[in-house]
Amino acid sequence: MTGPYVKVLHAGDLLTPGRGRPDLAALEADPTLGRATSRALDRPPDGFPVDPE
């Protein structure tokens, strides 16, 4: 995706394919929103993602 938005990821974050779509949909649906966030998988130093649930 390219456009006027920025998705901030930290060194240990993993953005899986399609995960930006819900954030983008929320921002496009309501122009009063300043930001949108969604769940992320944390990737610790051992490289195996940790699901928060």
Side-chain angles (χ1 to χ4, degrees), residues 22-40:
D23 296 347
L24 182 58
L27 291 167
E28 293 287 325
D30 186 348
T32 66
L33 293 178
R35 71 180 201 155
T37 62
S38 59
R39 288 181 35 170

Side-chain angles (χ1 to χ4, degrees), residues 5-52:
Y5 301 103
V6 173
K7 180 71 171 174
V8 177
L9 298 175
H10 298 102
D13 292 346
L14 176 64
L15 186 64
T16 56
R19 281 306 313 153
R21 289 189 185 109
D23 296 347
L24 182 58
L27 291 167
E28 293 287 325
D30 186 348
T32 66
L33 293 178
R35 71 180 201 155
T37 62
S38 59
R39 288 181 35 170
L41 294 175
D42 184 38
R43 180 173 279 185
D46 66 8
F48 293 99
V50 176
D51 190 336

